[in-house]
Amino acid sequence: MQKKILVVNPNSNPAVTEGFSEAVEPLRVAGGPLIECVTLESGPFGVETQQDVDSVILPLRDLMLSRPDADAFVIACYSDPGLATCREAVSKPVFGIQESGLFTALQKGERAGVIALSPRSIARHLPYVRRMGLESRLAAERPLHLSVEAAERDEAFGRVLEVATELKDMDFADTLVLGCAGMARHRQKLEKAVGLPVTDPTQAAVGQALGTVLLTP
């Protein structure tokens, strides 16, 4: 039976799911695990507040429990909602994109800059960064002041580039992370424009899941 990685968008915006599904297409290799991207239809349209984060924890857990066919799971939201709860609930590996994205970025540079959606997003992220022990290697997080839906659009690229340039020139970041799964479409264009390695955290998490599944008997 073909192995499977289930990538879950905790918000109910299918455009976000479509965007990161396109981004992980290079990881869909012949003979490799199936990468299935799904939308949590009961989730908020964008996970943008602590209440949004809390609201998807149990639905994510229940979805994973209902999918014993999956060999690994990826929570495709930069707040890593329910990561500990889901890891406790299922026996298969569960990857959060913030955790995976930061560790991947820090293999490409010394100081990571994160492009976040909003100041509220940053307030949620920073305690988590400290718990991971990565605070000393975080150059800064800077906000777009955009919603998930707005950040996903092509016309948001100018603002994304502006924040990326601030992180590079003002905070001395030498590697960048897109702080939302909805920004996946911007990665390649941004990397060329800003001249720094840019990590899409969903690609990073799926890549780690892929390696784990392939190396599991």
Side-chain angles (χ1 to χ4, degrees):
M1 182 181 296
Q2 186 177 19
K3 293 185 176 182
K4 182 181 297 181
I5 297 166
L6 188 68
V7 188
V8 185
N9 173 15
N11 73 51
S12 56
N13 183 351
V16 172
T17 311
E18 179 184 347
F20 67 64
S21 182
E22 292 174 1
V24 302
E25 186 62 33
L27 299 172
R28 292 185 169 108
V29 295
L34 175 68
I35 300 172
E36 179 184 352
C37 298
V38 301
T39 304
L40 186 68
E41 295 180 358
S42 64
F45 196 66
V47 177
E48 298 173 0
T49 67
Q50 188 61 51
Q51 182 175 340
D52 293 335
V53 171
D54 294 342
S55 74
V56 301
I57 292 175
L58 294 182
L60 281 170
R61 180 204 64 181
D62 293 344
L63 174 61
M64 292 184 192
L65 287 170
S66 74
R67 294 296 304 267
D69 57 312
D71 297 280
F73 300 94
V74 172
I75 300 173
C77 171
Y78 198 76
S79 292
D80 285 355
L83 183 59
T85 297
C86 292
R87 283 175 170 169
E88 181 180 69
V90 299
S91 60
K92 305 296 177 57
V94 183
F95 297 83
I97 67 169
Q98 181 174 180
E99 183 180 71
S100 293
L102 283 171
F103 279 107
T104 297
L106 291 172
Q107 293 171 337
K108 304 174 186 178
E110 289 298 316
R111 289 168 51 83
V114 179
I115 302 167
L117 290 175
S118 70
R120 288 189 300 184
S121 301
I122 295 171
R124 290 195 307 275
H125 299 162
L126 292 182
Y128 187 34
V129 171
R130 286 194 289 270
R131 291 198 300 274
M132 286 189 281
L134 299 178
E135 187 176 18
S136 66
R137 295 186 65 190
L138 181 71
E141 284 204 34
R142 287 183 176 262
L144 296 173
H145 298 288
L146 295 176
S147 66
V148 174
E149 181 184 16
E152 188 267 341
R153 297 174 182 167
D154 289 341
E155 53 264 36
F157 179 76
R159 177 61 183 154
V160 173
L161 177 58
E162 181 181 3
V163 172
T165 302
E166 291 173 354
L167 287 164
K168 176 184 178 181
D169 294 344
M170 300 174 67
D171 303 306
F172 307 107
D174 59 2
T175 183
L176 300 174
V177 183
L178 300 174
C180 175
M183 299 183 205
R185 290 189 174 98
H186 301 310
R187 191 197 71 79
Q188 289 186 334
K189 185 177 179 182
L190 181 63
E191 190 165 273
K192 291 177 182 177
V194 78
L196 292 179
V198 178
T199 297
D200 169 53
T202 306
Q203 288 178 329
V206 173
Q208 291 174 14
L210 182 64
T212 299
V213 169
L214 288 173
L215 293 170
T216 301

